[in-house]
Amino acid sequence: MSVSDEQAFVSLKDVDIIYGEVASGVKALEGTNLHVEKGSFIAVVGPSGCGKSSLMRLVTGLIPPSAGSIKVANKNVNGPLKIAGMAFQNPTLLPWRNTLDNVMLPLEIVDGYRKDLGKNRSKYEEKAYALLETVGLKDFAMSAPHELSGGMKQRVSLCRALMHEPQLLMLDEPFAALDAFTREELWGVLQKLWMEKHFTVILVTHDLREAIYLSQKIYVMSSRPGKIVVEKNVEFDFPRSLSDTYKSDFVALVEELRNHISLERQ
């Protein structure tokens, strides 16, 4: 079922983004409409260069739209969102900080936590340890980034993105650089976190299996300039398992989405 503009926690209405001069620049998005319900998990897929990452930057307020409007939690987005957490393909942990201190970094930046951190550091460390335990890294709290594998670093990145309890989690190809086994393992970790915490998630990915495994709804974008051309509900029950990815209806949905994207690339 489609989400109306009034019901949406995240809402993009007729959004354009142009890089460079309006008359001669590159139009990355055109007339993009997207409405995401609070607490839902949606995925955005599409051909390379269709503006998926631009969409992420727009929603989080890192760049302004050239036209149209963006609202999150019924407020116009006019700058970086404090209620959003982000994780990228590259975990970008600070090499001079151990795991615990990397996870706690948002508390030093986000207003409302910064002043409280000094007085209540032990409370926040306890919370960070609890997050690390959820992803199986509690015993690595004092480890330096160079002592962690790629999959472990991405787990730390997820914990860091969730440390300030964001209402919205934005994920831009978070597992793309990992091997297949680690990537699939982290699908389960992310699914578990989402089912426990009930935050809203927007996942940008090229991996159609990943999109179907994790999300409730998938949006397919056109080739550049990007717009949403297909909206597909994922009807499989949660929690999902890797064995589900081999079932005929799962494979059929992968093929359906692949066909949509192939048409957009022509």
Side-chain angles (χ1 to χ4, degrees), residues 182-252:
T182 304
R183 186 161 62 243
E184 290 172 350
E185 184 181 10
L186 288 183
W187 293 352
V189 170
L190 178 56
Q191 177 181 247
K192 181 173 181 284
L193 285 168
W194 172 69
M195 291 181 71
E196 289 177 355
K197 308 288 184 182
H198 308 295
F199 41 78
T200 306
V201 187
I202 298 178
L203 166 70
V204 163
T205 180
H206 282 100
D207 190 327
L208 300 180
R209 289 175 66 243
E210 178 174 285
I212 298 168
Y213 182 100
L214 286 167
S215 71
Q216 297 170 298
K217 185 177 290 188
I218 298 172
Y219 295 88
V220 180
M221 293 187 68
S222 68
S223 55
R224 191 171 64 215
K227 61 172 71 69
I228 304 295
V229 291
V230 175
E231 178 182 324
K232 186 72 180 179
N233 289 324
V234 182
E235 305 290 356
F236 311 127
D237 292 336
F238 288 97
R240 297 167 186 167
S241 68
L242 286 176
S243 62
D244 292 330
T245 67
Y246 299 100
K247 293 178 179 177
S248 58
D249 47 357
F250 192 105
V251 174

Side-chain angles (χ1 to χ4, degrees), residues 143-203:
S143 298
H146 72 268
E147 298 174 303
L148 305 177
S149 69
M152 293 164 80
K153 289 176 183 176
Q154 200 55 271
R155 289 171 193 242
V156 175
S157 180
L158 281 174
C159 290
R160 180 176 60 188
L162 294 170
M163 185 62 200
H164 64 297
E165 297 183 347
Q167 297 178 54
L168 175 64
L169 181 63
M170 305 290 289
L171 303 172
D172 193 355
E173 297 279 2
F175 311 130
L178 304 175
D179 65 86
F181 292 104
T182 304
R183 186 161 62 243
E184 290 172 350
E185 184 181 10
L186 288 183
W187 293 352
V189 170
L190 178 56
Q191 177 181 247
K192 181 173 181 284
L193 285 168
W194 172 69
M195 291 181 71
E196 289 177 355
K197 308 288 184 182
H198 308 295
F199 41 78
T200 306
V201 187
I202 298 178
L203 166 70

Side-chain angles (χ1 to χ4, degrees), residues 72-144:
V72 176
N74 292 317
K75 294 180 180 178
N76 289 319
V77 176
N78 297 313
L81 280 185
K82 297 173 184 176
I83 64 169
M86 298 187 73
F88 304 93
Q89 179 175 336
N90 228 323
T92 58
L93 303 182
L94 299 179
W96 59 88
R97 285 179 173 242
N98 61 31
T99 297
L100 180 67
D101 288 340
N102 266 293
V103 170
M104 292 184 65
L105 180 62
L107 305 182
E108 300 172 22
I109 299 169
V110 177
D111 289 341
Y113 287 99
R114 195 165 43 210
K115 293 178 181 177
D116 195 44
L117 181 59
K119 296 183 291 183
N120 295 293
R121 187 172 184 87
S122 60
K123 177 185 77 172
Y124 290 118
E125 284 187 352
E126 186 177 329
K127 181 180 168 185
Y129 273 112
L131 269 175
L132 288 169
E133 185 170 26
T134 302
V135 301
L137 287 181
K138 188 175 182 180
D139 293 340
F140 295 87
M142 296 297 114
S143 298

Side-chain angles (χ1 to χ4, degrees), residues 5 8-12 34 36 38 55-61 69-85 166-170 200 202:
D5 188 24
F9 180 68
V10 177
S11 176
L12 281 76
L34 179 67
V36 183
K38 186 174 177 62
L55 186 74
M56 302 287 281
R57 291 194 285 271
L58 283 165
V59 171
T60 51
S69 63
I70 303 168
K71 288 185 177 180
V72 176
N74 292 317
K75 294 180 180 178
N76 289 319
V77 176
N78 297 313
L81 280 185
K82 297 173 184 176
I83 64 169
Q167 297 178 54
L168 175 64
L169 181 63
M170 305 290 289
T200 306
I202 298 178

